[in-house]
Amino acid sequence: GIYNISVERDGYYPWQKVLTVEPSYVSDARAIFIPQELEKTELVLSALKPKGATTTPGTDYIAKNDLTAYTALFTPATTSATATLAATVSATATPVAESGPIGLFIDKGNLTAKFDGATSTAPSNFCLTPTRCVGSVPIEKGSETVKNANFLFGNRSIAIYTTESGVYVAEIDIRSPKLLVPIYQVRGADFRLDGNELIIKDGKKYYRLDGF
């Protein structure tokens, strides 16, 4: 039969999924928890620290070399998944991000996750039912133009991407409903993942988002 699953956790967006159970097959899904509030810390050159100040709430004073490294992350010539590249690749070209057999593709502003293999071996988030799987999962289609995308800290079930209205996190799952969360809804903002850090560029300012 068909089952409506709901999982809730304090401080996180609720996760829901409609799952179909078929005889002799296992129906599985993994709940995804995205915090309702993320800690935003501005990254400021240490030379700009006010005289006599030890700490400033919401601010992390960093060395010049560190600021230079963050700036380089957003320089098109030093990155492979930039807006310039994303605007030119097609759905059959090189993915803007890969995690194992799954790739993220940007085609004409639409974001799609594709499984590189036979649909019979696809993971459950690519399956409408245990016996009906697909090779691609649309993530953002039509409403906005995707400019940059990646897997959130390498998680094959979560995509993070940039559109003209900000930065979003979305569940990669063909089944409904899909979790979609705006994590930095500011026009013109962009993101980069640097190890275990999520860096946001907003105009000329840089921020680190913590809490995942």
Side-chain angles (χ1 to χ4, degrees):
I2 298 175
Y3 297 83
N4 295 299
I5 309 299
S6 179
V7 184
E8 297 183 1
R9 182 178 179 181
D10 289 344
Y12 294 81
Y13 288 94
W15 178 87
Q16 297 176 316
K17 195 65 59 187
V18 177
L19 301 180
T20 299
V21 176
E22 297 176 330
S24 302
Y25 289 91
V26 175
S27 297
D28 70 287
R30 178 174 294 180
I32 293 174
F33 295 109
I34 303 298
Q36 293 176 333
E37 294 185 11
L38 293 171
E39 182 180 346
K40 184 177 76 170
T41 302
E42 184 177 1
L43 305 173
V44 179
L45 193 62
S46 57
L48 299 178
K49 180 188 292 187
K51 188 176 181 180
T54 54
T55 60
T56 303
T59 303
D60 187 3
Y61 294 101
I62 60 178
K64 184 177 180 179
N65 289 344
D66 292 331
L67 185 60
T68 300
Y70 288 132
T71 302
L73 288 174
F74 292 87
T75 303
T78 62
T79 60
S80 60
T82 64
T84 300
L85 176 62
T88 59
V89 297
S90 68
T92 56
T94 303
V96 295
E98 287 183 284
S99 181
I102 300 175
L104 295 178
F105 295 81
I106 300 175
D107 180 34
K108 298 179 181 178
N110 298 320
L111 179 61
T112 303
K114 289 193 171 187
F115 175 70
D116 184 18
T119 55
S120 59
T121 62
S124 56
N125 55 321
F126 279 74
C127 300
L128 291 161
T129 71
T131 57
R132 184 184 171 197
C133 301
V134 296
S136 63
V137 174
I139 300 171
E140 170 61 46
K141 183 178 181 180
S143 60
E144 292 197 337
T145 301
V146 177
K147 303 177 181 180
N148 178 31
N150 207 334
F151 294 95
L152 185 62
F153 302 119
N155 191 319
R156 298 177 186 174
S157 300
I158 310 175
I160 178 171
Y161 62 92
T162 302
T163 70
E164 58 268 36
S165 65
V167 181
Y168 295 81
V169 167
E171 181 180 17
I172 301 173
D173 202 317
I174 194 65
R175 300 165 295 189
S176 297
K178 300 177 184 179
L179 184 63
L180 172 63
V181 177
I183 62 169
Y184 199 89
Q185 208 164 13
V186 176
R187 295 188 69 86
D190 199 3
F191 80 92
R192 292 291 186 273
L193 295 170
D194 184 29
N196 61 352
E197 291 186 332
L198 171 56
I199 307 299
I200 298 290
K201 185 177 185 294
D202 184 352
K204 295 183 179 180
K205 295 183 177 181
Y206 296 92
Y207 299 92
R208 184 179 64 244
L209 293 187
D210 297 310
F212 285 103

